[in-house]
Amino acid sequence: MSYNETVNYPNKLLKIEVRDQLKQLSIEDSERLNNKINDAIDKILRDETGSFMEFPETIENKIDPSIRNQVVSHLTGIEVRVLTSILVLCQIAESDNDIVHNKKNNSVTFSFDRLRFNALMGLDSKTASSKHRKIVFDALIELDKKKFIVPCRNGDIRFPRLVNIDKTNVNNKKITVTVDESFIVLQDKESTYFELPSNINKKLREISTGRPNVGVELFIKCLYQAKHCSKDNTVEYSYGRLIEIMRLENHLKKRNHSRIRKTIDKAFLTAKKFNLIASFKEGRTRFSEVKYIITFK
């Protein structure tokens, strides 16, 4: 696949990344769903392989603090890049007809070359150090340990690993993974996906140096989604909504607004360097909350 091409990114996968996946479910009002979450937490506590769970903020806040650190693991910036790379690899495998559909659990299995994975993570095969190659590989392994809450069409919820690595050949040049149905794009329904550059990680690595910031990574994806859906080439985000999609709630709890502001400023600077937005300006919502009016390129 050429780096000039785009990849179709599922809206349902982005919702999981920004912890927005359960807003359509009345989970607080459902004893059955709450019981399922408690059962899932108990399984993690009994799991000796060291698995964790990513929770939406409203659910995470309800978990007993004495066990929260044992079961909760937050998505990192580099793991967001891994999800993007796996999605691209999944669609490459699908276009090459080199993919196995598992109807029992609506997942798909495919293999990919580690060199290609590294390239999609933004690493140059000639100049990337062994340290950087190890960092991206470790992020893939860590993602394999994480379960996520995924809504079902019938109003129920599942607790899958989005990426499940075949451990029998993990040290080989080729890696085999099984990915959740959240990676599958319904090609005949454009409203279920948005277009993302397949070389987005390479561009982010060039523009935003240092450790990937999860908030910046997700903001860029959300902008591409918003641009895909926009009818007038603009989008508005309130200050509170940016905190949600950039996962800055912990800073808000600590009233660390300067840290929030720095992250938001970095996100907008990255978007400008990405040539994704032409401009943005601050305004006020009707309830006087700060909002950002963004005009796309």
Side-chain angles (χ1 to χ4, degrees), residues 61-253:
N61 289 338
K62 295 180 179 181
I63 299 174
D64 190 320
S66 65
I67 64 170
R68 191 177 296 158
N69 290 339
Q70 300 176 57
V71 298
V72 173
S73 180
H74 293 152
L75 201 63
T76 66
I78 194 166
E79 287 171 353
V80 171
R81 293 188 185 182
V82 171
L83 287 171
T84 307
S85 298
I86 295 294
L87 190 280
V88 176
L89 291 164
C90 181
Q91 292 189 16
I92 291 174
E94 194 167 23
S95 65
D96 292 341
N97 200 25
D98 193 18
I99 199 166
V100 176
H101 289 264
N102 312 306
K103 293 182 179 180
K104 185 177 180 180
N105 57 6
N106 293 324
S107 62
V108 295
T109 300
F110 59 95
S111 299
F112 57 85
D113 187 90
R114 283 180 68 170
L115 286 176
R116 181 170 248 178
F117 170 69
N118 287 341
L120 288 168
M121 288 294 291
L123 300 184
D124 187 295
S125 60
K126 295 180 180 179
T127 61
S129 66
S130 58
K131 176 184 176 181
H132 284 136
R133 289 196 296 270
K134 184 177 185 303
I135 287 173
V136 301
F137 182 69
D138 288 348
L140 174 63
I141 297 299
E142 284 301 307
L143 192 58
D144 172 79
K145 297 177 183 178
K146 291 186 179 180
K147 296 181 179 181
F148 295 79
I149 299 179
V150 178
C152 304
R153 294 183 185 89
N154 62 1
D156 205 347
I157 51 177
R158 301 182 291 115
F159 307 94
R161 287 180 169 85
L162 294 182
V163 178
N164 201 335
I165 301 173
D166 182 352
K167 307 300 191 302
T168 59
N169 67 349
V170 71
N171 292 317
N172 296 340
K173 290 183 179 180
K174 272 199 173 291
I175 299 174
T176 300
V177 298
T178 298
V179 300
D180 182 68
E181 66 173 353
S182 304
F183 282 82
I184 307 303
V185 173
L186 300 176
Q187 301 288 357
D188 59 334
K189 294 186 178 181
E190 188 175 348
S191 61
T192 66
Y193 66 86
F194 59 97
E195 291 186 343
L196 199 68
S198 56
N199 67 338
I200 186 172
N201 287 337
K202 183 175 184 291
K203 292 173 71 176
L204 280 167
R205 185 174 173 81
E206 293 169 352
I207 291 170
S208 185
T209 58
R211 180 181 296 180
N213 182 298
V214 65
V216 174
E217 304 287 319
L218 292 175
F219 178 68
I220 296 297
K221 282 187 183 180
C222 288
L223 283 181
Y224 272 104
Q225 182 194 45
K227 184 176 182 179
H228 184 88
C229 299
S230 176
K231 295 180 180 179
D232 60 0
N233 209 37
T234 64
V235 68
E236 295 184 7
Y237 290 113
S238 68
Y239 181 73
R241 181 57 181 156
L242 279 188
I243 287 173
E244 288 179 351
I245 67 174
M246 295 175 68
R247 302 166 68 105
L248 299 172
E249 293 92 348
N250 283 338
H251 295 318
L252 186 63
K253 289 176 186 175

Side-chain angles (χ1 to χ4, degrees), residues 269-288:
L269 179 61
T270 302
K272 277 196 166 185
K273 289 181 178 179
F274 228 89
N275 210 30
L276 179 55
I277 64 174
S279 63
F280 72 94
K281 61 182 180 180
E282 289 189 15
R284 293 279 175 176
T285 69
R286 59 178 178 168
F287 298 112
S288 295

Side-chain angles (χ1 to χ4, degrees), residues 49-66:
T49 62
S51 61
F52 296 92
M53 182 86 77
E54 255 268 344
F55 293 90
E57 180 74 7
T58 54
I59 295 175
E60 181 181 328
N61 289 338
K62 295 180 179 181
I63 299 174
D64 190 320
S66 65

